[in-house]
Amino acid sequence: LPLLSVPGTENAIDFLGAWYASATARQLIQRFPEIQNTLKSIQIQGKSSESLISQLEKNQDLKLMVIESTPWLTEANDETMQQRQLLRLFDEQQQLINEEAMLQKLSNLQLPSGAFSWMDGMPANRYITQLIADKMLRLYNQQNDDRKPGLRRMIVRAFTYLDSQLANDLAHLKQNDKKYASRKTITTLQLYYLTMRAVWSDTPENEATREAISYYSNQITSYRHSFSIYEKALAVQFFHRSGKTVYATELLKSLRE
């Protein structure tokens, strides 16, 4: 997380990773306040970085979390770097500042249509928009603070754009394929979107969007057995989120096999 929270270049993917890392770190702090309390105590006492790790490992629950969640600690040779990374990771104020800065950078890349561009000055990118909306939606459902309304506005705009793209897909299909209703037409990108759409019901749907969602949802059900492993994994999420547990269980069994 400390490494991910610093974007490598000025692009949407790096901003998204940095924002997601900082938001996740802040949630960890809120879920496990004992870690931050331990770190503050060690800072006040002025103990060495070696003591920092040993103090955390005295608590078996924290030791397990450190081993599972921060493998880079045991790989780093420089104990000073270990301490710096840990303290930075669990500095709630620093993570909040970084989270807000990265979210603003993402907001600057959101176009009037609601789509996101990959870099400043570039055109709308549907895949990038889906990726960003997906990650935003995950954290939106976990957040409960004053940043939620602003995040919601960005998500609503993104879904408005993505809804229109799905409706355009079906309109184009109708114009160019007379047999569209009786054969497989759904793409991985469309399947990915419906997986996200299944948990976002707040965005208003016009008639064209409703028809497109219905058509491509039926495509998932009808052609689920022909999907790749990745597509089956997406379909499992779609069925689970849509309450179609029989289909979800069926595909899970196929994936295990």
Side-chain angles (χ1 to χ4, degrees), residues 156-211:
V156 168
R157 292 179 61 203
F159 271 93
T160 299
Y161 164 78
L162 293 170
D163 277 351
S164 70
Q165 292 300 295
L166 194 70
N168 289 341
D169 289 344
L170 182 57
H172 184 267
L173 199 59
K174 287 180 177 181
Q175 291 177 355
N176 296 278
D177 187 352
K178 295 181 179 179
K179 297 182 179 180
Y180 77 94
S182 60
R183 71 178 189 87
K184 179 183 176 182
T185 64
I186 190 168
T187 65
T188 304
L189 190 67
Q190 293 162 345
L191 172 57
Y192 177 25
Y193 178 60
L194 287 174
T195 299
M196 298 161 46
R197 197 65 176 75
V199 293
W200 184 258
S201 59
D202 293 348
T203 305
E205 301 174 15
N206 57 39
E207 184 176 350
T209 300
R210 288 196 298 270
E211 183 184 3

Side-chain angles (χ1 to χ4, degrees), residues 3-253:
L3 298 177
L4 288 173
S5 62
V6 180
T9 58
E10 297 283 308
N11 69 78
I13 297 299
D14 282 10
F15 294 155
L16 178 65
W19 171 73
Y20 198 86
S22 289
T24 299
R26 198 164 58 84
Q27 289 180 1
L28 283 174
I29 295 169
Q30 293 169 352
R31 286 179 58 196
F32 304 100
E34 61 271 25
I35 297 181
Q36 191 178 42
N37 294 337
T38 301
L39 290 171
K40 287 181 178 179
S41 175
I42 294 172
Q43 275 186 295
I44 292 173
Q45 296 174 33
K47 295 186 177 179
S48 67
S49 56
E50 182 178 1
S51 175
L52 175 70
I53 305 303
S54 63
Q55 286 288 323
L56 285 173
E57 292 185 341
K58 285 181 180 179
N59 182 310
Q60 289 301 308
D61 291 334
L62 294 183
K63 180 179 180 180
L64 182 61
M65 175 185 288
V66 167
I67 292 174
E68 292 181 344
S69 303
T70 56
W72 43 267
L73 279 178
T74 56
E75 294 173 358
N77 294 322
D78 187 344
E79 291 179 350
T80 302
M81 180 61 71
Q82 289 180 355
Q83 182 178 23
R84 188 179 300 118
Q85 288 178 328
L86 253 187
L87 294 175
R88 182 168 183 264
L89 174 63
F90 293 115
D91 183 339
E92 185 172 8
Q93 186 61 32
Q94 178 60 44
Q95 293 300 344
L96 177 58
I97 292 172
N98 194 64
E99 181 184 342
E100 292 179 340
M102 293 303 106
L103 190 60
Q104 182 59 51
K105 286 180 177 291
L106 282 173
S107 178
N108 293 341
L109 291 179
Q110 191 168 27
L111 306 174
S113 64
F116 288 89
S117 61
W118 182 46
M119 299 181 75
D120 186 34
M122 286 188 169
N125 187 305
R126 184 175 179 179
Y127 174 75
I128 294 293
T129 303
Q130 285 195 185
L131 187 65
I132 292 174
D134 183 26
K135 300 300 180 290
M136 284 185 169
L137 186 57
R138 290 189 188 191
L139 287 185
Y140 175 82
N141 290 329
Q142 299 173 22
Q143 284 188 340
N144 188 25
D145 53 35
D146 56 5
R147 279 163 294 282
K148 196 165 185 175
L151 185 57
R152 175 182 168 77
R153 285 191 291 272
M154 294 177 68
I155 295 173
V156 168
R157 292 179 61 203
F159 271 93
T160 299
Y161 164 78
L162 293 170
D163 277 351
S164 70
Q165 292 300 295
L166 194 70
N168 289 341
D169 289 344
L170 182 57
H172 184 267
L173 199 59
K174 287 180 177 181
Q175 291 177 355
N176 296 278
D177 187 352
K178 295 181 179 179
K179 297 182 179 180
Y180 77 94
S182 60
R183 71 178 189 87
K184 179 183 176 182
T185 64
I186 190 168
T187 65
T188 304
L189 190 67
Q190 293 162 345
L191 172 57
Y192 177 25
Y193 178 60
L194 287 174
T195 299
M196 298 161 46
R197 197 65 176 75
V199 293
W200 184 258
S201 59
D202 293 348
T203 305
E205 301 174 15
N206 57 39
E207 184 176 350
T209 300
R210 288 196 298 270
E211 183 184 3
I213 290 175
S214 175
Y215 170 77
Y216 288 109
S217 295
N218 289 333
Q219 283 269 307
I220 298 175
T221 303
S222 299
Y223 300 102
R224 63 190 185 279
H225 296 299
S226 66
F227 289 160
S228 67
I229 291 178
Y230 171 64
E231 290 172 336
K232 284 182 178 179
L234 289 174
V236 167
Q237 295 180 66
F238 169 78
F239 288 133
H240 174 71
R241 294 170 177 178
S242 302
K244 300 177 180 179
T245 55
V246 173
Y247 292 140
T249 302
E250 174 191 58
L251 284 187
L252 275 176
K253 181 180 178 182

